[in-house]
Amino acid sequence: MRPMAQIAMVMNLDKCIGCHTCSVTCKQAWTNRRGTEYVWFNNVETLPGQGYPRRWADQNRWKGGWERTRSGRLRLRAGGRARRLGTLFANPDLPTLDDYYEPWTYEYKNLIDAPAGDDMPVARPVSQISGEPLDTLQWGPNWDDDLGGAPEHAPKDPLVEKVREQVGEKIRFEFEQSFMFYLPRICEHCLNPACVSACPSGALYKRVEDGIVLVDQERCRGWRMCVSSCPYKKVYFNHATGKAEKCTLCYPRVEIGMPTICSETCVGRMRYLGVMLYDADKVTEAAAVTDEHDLYPAQLESFLDPRDPAVEAAARASGISDDWLEAARRSPVFDLIRTYQVALPLHPEYRTMPMVWYVPPLSPVVEAVAASGHDGEDAGNLFGAIEGLRIPVEYLAELLTAGDTYPVEAVLRRMAAMRVHMRARNLGEEPDPAVAHSVRLTGDELEDMFRLLAVAKYEDRYVVPTAARADADALADSHPLDAACPVGAEPGRPVLLNLAPTRRTV
């Protein structure tokens, strides 16, 4: 056992209202300068839809993530070292600007400075890349929001194409038959990041102390192999600096115990931030399991229980501080992923072992059952309706469990059981213990799960230790940067933007 700590995030899709507040605040904090006009470290997509960049989930096209060879080893889908070196100057798997969108502004000055006259002044769209007027706007980062143009764009969703043969008429795009939900996305800060392995210059690295994946701007040479190898397309190229950039999980905030800016400003309070302990010795084995349906349970098994005395002792021996252990014990992320098992990873079939997980959305099933003349809050009716949800379980499974519907159904049943249990409690009735037992939980656990998912306070949703900041300050005091390297850094390699010990992993 080799315990390591990772800052992880869970998003409750049942509460996301698609307001894009997280995207706007992230944009203002991190990508509001020249060269990042088209870059959104955080974006919110409407599903079904093509996403941003368009069809990012189509790895047959983009060759992102890992694949398992016949011998049982993992290799990058982008190819081995020889192929990547051969395409170093002409990478065929890069999204174009059109796949993202050509960012634009408007000639607002015309509206202000236009002389008085009979004609109404207009503000034409102007490209933020070239400065030239744009005749027509073709695409944007939220072009298919709220089923915008669903009959035209939604069938091009790679997940819809994949499952349509299975579910047939369950996925239809006539307005009255449509379904939708929102998917906020950031960098997954994976345990097995493909972008780190693909970088020829070694500029991308995963911090040992908290698992955050960053780009060393000094080392980056702009090869963009990280862009093509990231299956989530969350690494971007800054055309002004010639460097790669990505979500930093707001590490300057995390280091002082504050949540990420997207979490802090989330209107729906649907984000959770906390510490997960995992066994580093199990990562490669878990990512290389034969059956893609086993990837989710394999990653689940790689997580360690911080309340286990043996894990606690091994973590201390590995250098994990008491502050981090206490944060891991109080982690809302651990409870949602391991204790209640209602959060699932995004596209585990990419074998990167992502660390941003999602609670799947529960369709308005109560109203649907009630409309049929039955009690929508009755456990039997509610459980029976899950297979007929407006959002097909098969679609959610392709998104979160590599196509395996069983874990998704189990999560939806637990959420439905929580709803039934809390309805009885709120009406002053005695909840039926059989409801909780049917989903392998107790009544107390359902109530704890409700408090976490529905009414958790700020300090319960974000449990971020500050030990890294204290350690960094102590390190800076004892070893001036001009006299010595930080602990774990390579000699002669500057540690950019942060004082926390920054180490590269292989």
Side-chain angles (χ1 to χ4, degrees):
M1 183 194 305
R2 185 159 59 98
M4 296 187 72
Q6 168 90 34
I7 298 290
M9 184 182 289
V10 167
M11 302 191 205
N12 183 2
L13 299 184
D14 217 30
K15 297 174 71 176
C16 182
I17 62 174
C19 65
H20 293 272
T21 304
C22 52
S23 299
V24 172
T25 52
C26 175
K27 182 73 174 173
Q28 289 299 314
W30 294 105
T31 59
N32 61 352
R33 62 198 178 281
R34 174 72 176 158
T36 60
E37 294 89 350
Y38 79 103
V39 173
W40 297 82
F41 288 169
N42 181 109
N43 71 295
V44 182
E45 299 170 359
T46 297
L47 293 183
Q50 297 186 64
Y52 163 77
R54 273 187 279 195
R55 295 177 57 85
W56 62 267
D58 182 5
Q59 302 314 322
N60 291 328
R61 168 66 181 88
W62 303 119
K63 307 292 190 297
W66 301 87
E67 61 184 358
R68 188 178 186 274
T69 65
R70 292 182 179 178
S71 62
R73 297 174 62 88
L74 290 180
R75 71 179 175 196
L76 292 170
R77 287 177 64 92
R81 182 175 299 179
R83 182 185 184 277
R84 284 184 283 122
L85 287 176
T87 58
L88 199 60
F89 299 101
N91 188 343
D93 303 321
L94 279 176
T96 65
L97 188 61
D98 288 340
D99 292 312
Y100 294 99
Y101 73 106
E102 186 166 359
W104 71 87
T105 185
Y106 294 95
E107 294 178 328
Y108 294 111
K109 194 173 181 181
N110 284 356
L111 301 180
I112 301 171
D113 298 342
D118 295 332
D119 298 326
M120 177 68 70
V122 296
R124 294 183 303 172
V126 176
S127 169
Q128 289 185 300
I129 303 298
S130 65
E132 298 296 325
L134 295 174
D135 295 331
T136 57
L137 303 178
Q138 300 292 332
W139 193 254
N142 57 345
W143 204 257
D144 45 11
D145 256 11
D146 302 329
L147 294 177
E152 177 186 355
H153 299 306
K156 299 175 184 176
D157 180 340
L159 300 185
V160 170
E161 293 178 351
K162 197 170 183 180
V163 303
R164 216 163 188 179
E165 292 182 1
Q166 305 173 36
V167 301
E169 287 301 302
K170 287 179 71 174
I171 295 186
R172 301 175 63 188
F173 295 107
E174 291 81 0
F175 184 78
E176 68 277 6
Q177 296 292 333
S178 256
F179 67 92
M180 57 165 274
F181 62 96
Y182 300 108
L183 179 72
R185 294 202 303 119
I186 66 172
C187 168
E188 296 288 326
H189 296 278
C190 307
L191 298 184
N192 185 35
C195 59
V196 173
S197 294
C199 180
S201 59
L204 277 94
Y205 61 100
K206 186 173 179 66
R207 301 206 309 187
V208 167
E209 62 269 25
D210 54 19
I212 297 175
V213 177
L214 297 175
V215 182
D216 185 334
Q217 296 289 296
E218 291 287 336
R219 282 201 168 192
C220 181
R221 296 295 177 265
W223 301 122
R224 286 173 278 184
M225 292 296 174
C226 52
V227 177
S228 55
S229 292
C230 172
Y232 305 98
K233 291 296 169 280
K234 278 299 173 182
V235 186
Y236 303 91
F237 180 70
N238 184 320
H239 60 83
T241 64
K243 308 287 187 180
E245 298 188 18
K246 61 178 295 297
C247 161
T248 65
L249 206 66
C250 291
Y251 70 85
R253 295 172 59 91
V254 169
E255 287 174 351
I256 58 174
M258 296 177 65
T260 62
I261 194 69
C262 59
S263 301
E264 180 90 59
T265 58
C266 176
V267 173
R269 300 183 179 182
M270 47 77 72
R271 298 187 186 230
Y272 301 81
L273 205 64
V275 176
M276 292 291 289
L277 300 183
Y278 66 96
D279 187 351
D281 290 334
K282 288 186 177 180
V283 169
T284 302
E285 178 184 350
V289 294
T290 305
D291 191 341
E292 289 184 345
H293 289 179
D294 293 332
L295 286 165
Y296 160 60
Q299 185 170 359
L300 205 60
E301 287 299 314
S302 70
F303 295 135
L304 301 174
D305 185 353
R307 304 176 184 95
D308 185 334
V311 170
E312 185 177 340
R316 284 200 176 96
S318 296
I320 299 175
S321 68
D322 288 339
D323 286 346
W324 279 70
L325 284 173
E326 177 59 25
R329 285 190 286 267
R330 295 176 45 234
S331 172
V333 173
F334 177 83
D335 285 337
L336 293 172
I337 291 176
R338 276 290 302 267
T339 306
Y340 309 126
Q341 295 187 14
V342 292
L344 300 168
L346 182 65
H347 287 296
E349 68 272 19
Y350 299 160
R351 299 181 183 269
T352 59
M353 301 188 71
M355 290 303 290
V356 178
W357 288 39
Y358 295 86
V359 178
L362 187 62
S363 297
V365 62
V366 174
E367 290 78 4
V369 175
S372 66
H374 299 85
D375 183 358
E377 298 283 2
D378 179 79
N381 294 336
L382 206 52
F383 288 163
I386 285 178
E387 293 183 2
L389 292 179
R390 194 167 186 176
I391 303 175
V393 172
E394 295 87 350
Y395 184 88
L396 294 174
E398 288 294 341
L399 184 71
L400 300 171
T401 54
D404 187 4
T405 59
Y406 177 79
V408 177
E409 291 173 353
V411 170
L412 296 178
R413 287 175 64 88
R414 288 191 169 193
M415 295 177 67
M418 176 188 73
R419 185 173 293 187
V420 172
H421 181 93
M422 293 309 300
R423 182 214 189 193
R425 181 69 73 199
N426 292 334
L427 293 178
E429 302 172 358
E430 188 63 30
D432 183 358
V435 173
H437 293 160
S438 69
V439 293
R440 299 182 181 180
L441 292 174
T442 66
D444 290 341
E445 287 176 323
L446 284 180
E447 293 179 24
D448 288 341
M449 190 170 89
F450 170 79
R451 280 191 287 271
L452 185 56
L453 286 174
V455 296
K457 296 182 179 179
Y458 184 96
E459 60 271 16
D460 297 321
R461 287 181 282 125
Y462 314 129
V463 180
V464 184
T466 59
R469 180 74 272 164
D471 291 346
D473 290 339
L475 183 66
D477 291 340
S478 60
H479 299 289
L481 291 179
D482 57 354
C485 282
V487 173
E490 298 178 40
R493 178 183 182 182
V495 177
L496 301 179
L497 302 179
N498 65 294
L499 294 174
T502 303
R503 314 172 199 177
R504 296 180 59 229
T505 58
V506 178

